[in-house]
């Protein structure tokens, strides 16, 4: 930058390579004849003057490049490194600039390097910095940064005594992402979650997914005794086997029940005809909004759905049509519209009520913090809900038939959970549930398994802070949750059975008796905090960390795939699938 730069109001040019600070009278070498080192000196030694200079630079940036620069880029002009003149190493400054610039491509396409607005912006920030090639920044990401992130993940993995894994595969158009996620509990009872491996796929890989999964598993380098379980979703499960993921199983229950009910399919088809009519006519859509606003004095609600297609899209569409019932009936008085009969409106209303707890449970299981301990309680609550609906929804033959088939599928798809030890022990070791959902046979099965585990485990208790309730954000609070009410009723009437110890009971059996005697904690409390504060149960800590590490569902990578769409675009141009996989791995572990 020439002497016209605003920084020269604080410096005088002694020679081509030396400048003198007018504020502190110190001479500084200007290697490369740039002004970056002068600005950094102001930031380090004269903060008030630096703020003034920064305001001038920001005004210049806004004037010169705002219209050309992509609006998503965020750069903090004050985030400049320490004065390189004080350390005598300007090369380190530019190396840090290289790395920070490379990290921009975690969220933006490499095409940004060809954007004139972006190039000008970088020149304004660092006049002496020269933008490099795509391959240069790709190498920084895929070699230097990837190696550091991989090392951090490896260190966290080594600190865990037991882990549970989940595999997930998602497709968006022709782009796919296969990933393995690790779940564990640290020695201080902090839940841990990070990505171990991920592979970017395209439509050519669709037929070789099984081989990709096998390659990922073989590359995990985990000792078998450390892996508690692997939870696979529907897309990554072994051929012919049901998915381990509870979300996938419950979605299958809904799908099969719907496929078996032709009347409900016909009703959904009529709803789609209505939605398509308004989607094809913006004028009709605006008139529908006018009816809501001016005639019904209701808040405007669109009948169209802009969100991506999901497992419950058909039911969401039905819910929107039902919500706009009054507006649609008024619209039908003036214009042609598919006619809905009274019994069909009733079917839609009952179907929404029936599906509410299903959607609640899937949302709960999809939370990363939800463990396998919630599976047996929530399946029991859903079973009670469907049985009640089957009795209460008698006026609708269509919905009763759907409810009956859904209940049959639930019993079929989840029949294993009352014999699967990972669900039984996890439920028992959750102080919110314990034995409330067990019969005597299941209680004995759990006791035997826990005693067997305790026989070879070691105690590792550490003192921790007092028990506290989990903070629930407003988005997590459920209003009139049907499932919550059912769960509370089951727990209130749950078994308080505590088998008495006979003379031959060991200290370990007495420890379980003491645990059984403890009152269950509120469902809003964190079970890990409870275990962390109850040091008297320290012999149980090892198996608690093992069984409560198992997630209820496979970790979905749908959001990660959506946020990485720019990388798949670059993959079609120049990026290799291996590089995309490494960059996605960095993105997924950004908080590790």
């Amino acid at each position: 930058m020439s002497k016209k730069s605003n920084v020269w109001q604080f410096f005088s040019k002694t020679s081509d390579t030396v400048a003198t600070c007018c504020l502190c009278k110190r001479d500084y070498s200007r290697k490369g004849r740039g002004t970056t080192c002068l600005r950094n000196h102001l930031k380090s030694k004269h903060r008030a003057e630096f703020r003034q200079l920064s305001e001038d630079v920001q005004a210049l940036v806004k004037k010169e490049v705002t219209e050309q620069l992509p609006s998503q880029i965020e750069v903090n002009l004050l985030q400049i490194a320490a004065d390189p003149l004080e350390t005598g190493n300007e090369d380190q400054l530019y190396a840090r600039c290289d790395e920070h610039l490379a990290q921009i491509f975690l969220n933006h396409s490499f095409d940004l390097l060809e954007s004139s607005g972006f190039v000008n912006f970088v020149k304004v920030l660092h006049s002496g910095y020269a933008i490099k090639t795509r391959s240069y920044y790709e190498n920084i990401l895929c070699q230097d940064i990837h190696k550091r992130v991989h090392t951090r993940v490896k260190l966290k993995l080594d600190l865990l005594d037991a882990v549970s894994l989940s595999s997930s595969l998602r497709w968006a158009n022709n782009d796919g992402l296969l990933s393995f996620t690790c779940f564990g509990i640290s020695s201080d009872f902090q839940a841990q979650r990070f990505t171990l491996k991920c592979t970017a796929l395209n439509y050519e890989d669709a037929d070789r997914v099984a081989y990709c999964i096998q390659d990922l598993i073989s590359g995990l380098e985990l000792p078998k005794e450390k892996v508690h379980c692997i939870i696979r979703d529907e897309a990554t499960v072994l051929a012919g086997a049901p998915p381990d993921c509870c979300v996938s199983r419950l979605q299958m229950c809904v799908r099969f029940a719907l496929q078996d009910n032709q009347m409900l399919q016909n009703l959904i088809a009529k709803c789609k005809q209505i939605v398509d009519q308004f989607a094809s006519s913006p004028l009709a859509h605006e008139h529908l909004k006018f009816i809501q606003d001016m005639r019904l004095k209701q808040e405007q609600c669109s009948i169209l759905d802009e969100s991506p297609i999901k497992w419950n899209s058909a039911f969401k569409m039905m819910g929107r049509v039902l919500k706009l019932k009054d507006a649609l009936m008024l619209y039908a008085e003036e214009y042609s519209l598919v006619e809905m009969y009274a019994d069909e409106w009733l079917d839609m209303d009952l179907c929404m009520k029936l599906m509410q707890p299903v959607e609640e449970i899937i949302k709960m299981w999809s939370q990363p913090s939800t463990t396998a301990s919630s599976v047996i309680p929530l399946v029991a609550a859903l079973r009670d809900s469907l049985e009640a609906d089957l009795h209460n929804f008698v006026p609708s033959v269509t919905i009763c038939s759907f409810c009956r088939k859904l209940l049959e599928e639930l019993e079929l798809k989840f029949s294993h959970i009352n014999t699967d030890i990972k669900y039984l022990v996890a439920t028992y070791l959750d102080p919110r549930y314990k034995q409330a959902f067990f019969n005597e046979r299941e209680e004995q099965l759990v006791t035997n398994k826990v005693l067997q585990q305790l026989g070879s485990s070691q105690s590792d208790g550490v003192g921790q802070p007092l028990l506290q309730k989990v903070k629930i954000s407003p988005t997590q609070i459920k209003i009139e949750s049907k499932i919550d009410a059912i769960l509370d009723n089951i727990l209130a009437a749950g078994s308080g059975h505590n088998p008495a110890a006979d003379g031959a009971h060991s200290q370990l059996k007495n420890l379980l008796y003491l645990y059984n005697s403890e009152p269950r904690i509120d469902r809003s409390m964190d079970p890990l905090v409870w275990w962390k504060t109850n040091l008297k149960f320290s012999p149980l800590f090892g198996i608690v960390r093992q069984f409560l590490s198992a997630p209820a569902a496979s970790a979905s990578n749908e959001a990660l795939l959506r946020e990485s769409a720019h990388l798949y675009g670059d993959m079609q141009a120049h990026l290799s699938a291996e590089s995309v996989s490494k960059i996605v791995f960095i993105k997924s572990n950004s908080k590790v």
Side-chain angles (χ1 to χ4, degrees):
M1 187 177 288
S2 69
K3 192 173 178 177
K4 292 181 181 179
S5 170
N6 287 347
V7 76
W8 287 107
Q9 62 185 298
F10 303 108
F11 292 87
S12 61
K13 187 175 180 182
T14 304
S15 68
D16 286 343
T17 59
V18 178
T20 302
C21 177
C22 299
L23 300 171
C24 63
K25 307 303 180 185
R26 295 178 63 180
D27 292 335
Y28 286 93
S29 171
R30 295 174 55 235
K31 237 180 198 180
R33 300 185 181 181
T35 58
T36 300
C37 57
L38 305 183
R39 289 200 301 272
N40 287 332
H41 169 70
L42 286 178
K43 179 179 182 293
S44 177
K45 301 298 183 182
H46 311 290
R47 296 187 180 277
E49 289 76 9
F50 176 74
R51 282 195 295 270
Q52 176 186 339
L53 177 66
S54 298
E55 292 173 0
D56 294 340
V57 172
Q58 291 183 52
L60 178 62
V61 170
K62 183 176 181 180
K63 178 180 178 181
E64 293 187 1
V65 301
T66 297
E67 294 182 356
Q68 303 179 57
L69 187 66
S71 60
Q72 299 91 337
I73 300 294
E74 294 182 4
V75 179
N76 188 343
L77 294 175
L78 301 181
Q79 205 166 30
I80 299 177
D83 190 343
L85 297 177
E86 299 295 327
T87 62
N89 193 343
E90 195 172 46
D91 292 340
Q92 290 185 2
L93 170 66
Y94 289 118
R96 288 194 295 270
C97 290
D98 287 341
E99 185 163 307
H100 287 304
L101 188 54
Q103 291 182 55
I104 287 177
F105 303 114
L106 292 174
N107 301 306
H108 300 277
S109 170
F110 280 89
D111 290 342
L112 198 62
L113 290 171
E114 278 77 52
S115 166
S116 59
F118 180 73
V119 173
N120 291 336
F121 187 62
V122 172
K123 285 182 178 179
V124 170
L125 291 177
H126 292 285
S127 59
Y129 181 79
I131 292 182
K132 314 297 192 305
T133 63
R134 292 181 178 222
S135 59
Y136 180 81
Y137 297 111
E138 179 184 343
N139 287 336
I140 291 177
L141 282 170
C142 298
Q143 294 179 17
D144 302 340
I145 298 178
H146 179 269
K147 184 177 180 181
R148 287 205 306 270
V149 174
H150 184 270
T151 300
R152 289 203 302 267
V153 169
K154 182 71 165 59
L155 289 173
K156 291 183 75 72
L157 185 60
D158 290 342
L159 292 174
L160 300 174
D161 295 327
V163 298
S164 295
L165 306 179
S166 79
S167 60
S168 178
L169 173 61
R170 289 291 185 276
W171 290 94
N173 299 321
N174 292 323
D175 302 327
L177 180 61
L178 172 64
S179 63
F180 270 86
T181 305
C182 178
F183 297 80
I185 299 173
S186 63
S187 58
D188 60 345
F189 282 95
Q190 298 296 315
Q192 305 291 318
R193 177 177 181 256
F194 44 86
T195 301
L196 286 180
K197 292 278 186 177
C198 55
T199 297
L201 306 172
N202 57 37
Y203 67 95
E204 296 175 350
D205 300 314
D207 295 331
R208 50 184 296 272
V209 169
Y211 298 102
C212 295
I213 294 174
Q214 190 58 43
D215 288 343
L216 275 187
I217 293 177
S218 60
L220 290 179
E221 299 178 355
L222 271 174
K224 290 184 178 180
E225 61 272 11
K226 191 168 186 172
V227 179
H228 171 53
C229 65
I230 301 178
I231 305 297
R232 301 173 178 86
D233 67 3
E234 193 172 359
T236 59
V237 72
L238 299 176
D244 311 283
C245 171
C246 291
V247 166
S248 296
R249 286 192 179 231
L250 187 50
Q251 290 174 356
M252 289 172 64
C253 292
V254 175
R255 188 165 69 246
F256 292 166
L258 179 58
Q259 291 172 356
D260 190 64
N261 194 310
Q262 189 60 50
M263 294 297 293
L264 188 54
Q265 291 182 50
N266 294 341
L267 182 56
I268 291 174
K270 289 186 71 172
C271 290
K272 190 174 188 309
Q273 283 182 273
I274 294 175
V275 171
D276 288 347
Q277 179 172 335
F278 288 100
S280 62
S281 174
L283 186 62
H285 192 215
E286 287 303 314
H287 187 65
L288 185 65
K289 290 182 177 180
F290 173 82
I291 293 174
Q292 296 175 67
D293 188 19
M294 303 304 296
R295 297 181 63 179
L296 296 174
K297 306 301 180 184
Q298 296 175 347
E299 183 179 352
Q300 288 189 7
C301 175
S302 176
I303 197 171
L304 308 179
D305 184 19
E306 305 299 333
S307 61
I309 296 177
K310 297 184 178 180
W311 70 273
N312 59 346
S313 294
F315 297 101
K316 289 292 185 183
M317 175 184 65
M318 185 187 294
R320 292 194 307 277
V321 172
L322 179 64
K323 185 175 182 179
L324 294 173
K325 174 183 176 181
D326 294 338
L328 290 170
M329 293 180 72
L330 289 176
Y331 181 92
E333 291 177 1
E334 304 175 39
Y335 304 97
S336 174
L337 188 67
V338 175
E339 185 178 4
M340 283 285 186
Y341 299 102
D343 59 334
E344 291 176 321
W345 288 116
L346 175 63
D347 289 346
M348 291 165 64
D349 181 47
L350 296 180
C351 186
M352 291 300 98
K353 292 176 179 177
L354 184 148
M355 285 298 298
Q356 179 191 343
V358 176
E359 293 181 348
E360 283 182 17
I361 289 175
I362 286 181
K363 186 176 180 179
M364 292 179 195
W365 281 342
S366 299
Q367 295 296 321
S369 59
T370 305
T371 69
S373 67
S374 71
V375 174
I376 290 177
L378 288 177
V379 169
L382 181 57
R383 183 187 298 111
D384 285 1
S385 174
L386 292 175
E387 289 174 349
D389 289 345
L390 196 58
H391 175 74
N392 296 330
F393 295 171
V394 172
S396 172
V397 175
T398 299
I399 302 305
C400 272
S401 175
F402 178 61
C403 181
R404 187 178 297 105
K405 182 61 178 178
L406 184 55
L407 188 56
E408 290 175 5
E409 291 294 334
L410 183 72
E411 298 292 356
L412 179 64
K413 300 291 187 299
F414 289 89
S415 60
H416 67 293
I417 61 175
N418 292 106
T419 55
D420 192 325
I421 206 68
K422 71 173 174 287
Y423 294 113
L424 289 169
V425 175
T427 306
Y428 173 68
L429 293 176
D430 191 324
R432 297 172 299 177
Y433 306 126
K434 295 188 177 182
Q435 309 135 301
F437 298 88
F438 296 161
N439 55 35
E440 289 188 17
R441 182 193 63 81
E442 291 161 351
E443 282 188 26
Q444 190 59 51
L445 189 64
V446 169
T447 300
N448 292 341
K449 179 63 178 178
V450 173
L451 289 173
Q452 178 187 348
Q453 292 278 110
L454 282 175
S456 57
S457 65
Q458 297 179 348
S459 62
D460 56 353
V462 181
Q464 296 294 343
L466 296 176
L467 179 65
Q468 58 189 22
K469 287 196 175 185
V470 176
K471 292 183 179 179
I472 302 177
S473 64
T475 56
Q476 291 175 305
I477 297 175
K478 298 179 177 61
I479 301 174
E480 299 180 357
S481 169
K482 187 175 181 180
I483 282 298
D484 280 343
I486 293 174
L487 268 179
D488 288 338
N489 289 336
I490 294 176
L491 288 170
S495 170
H497 178 57
N498 295 314
D502 57 39
H505 268 45
S506 66
Q507 288 185 344
L508 295 180
K509 285 194 174 184
N510 289 331
L511 183 67
L512 292 189
Y513 177 74
L514 181 62
Y515 171 68
N516 295 340
S517 302
E518 290 278 333
R520 289 190 297 268
I521 64 174
D522 189 85
R523 287 195 304 111
S524 65
M525 292 184 180
D526 187 347
L528 296 185
V529 174
W530 186 89
W531 280 108
K532 189 165 64 173
T533 58
N534 281 270
L535 301 180
K536 59 189 174 185
F537 298 119
S538 59
L540 293 169
F541 284 0
I543 60 173
V544 169
R545 294 191 188 98
Q546 176 185 348
F547 283 90
L548 293 189
S549 70
S554 178
S556 174
N557 56 18
E558 184 177 351
L560 181 61
L561 175 61
R562 187 168 57 248
E563 293 166 4
S564 304
H566 62 286
L567 294 171
Y568 287 87
D570 288 340
M571 188 165 69
Q572 295 176 2
H574 67 94
L575 269 184
S576 67
E578 181 182 1
S579 293
V580 173
S581 300
K582 288 183 176 180
I583 297 173
V584 174
F585 174 82
I586 297 170
K587 279 174 63 73
S588 64
N589 289 304
S590 59
K591 296 181 180 180
V592 174

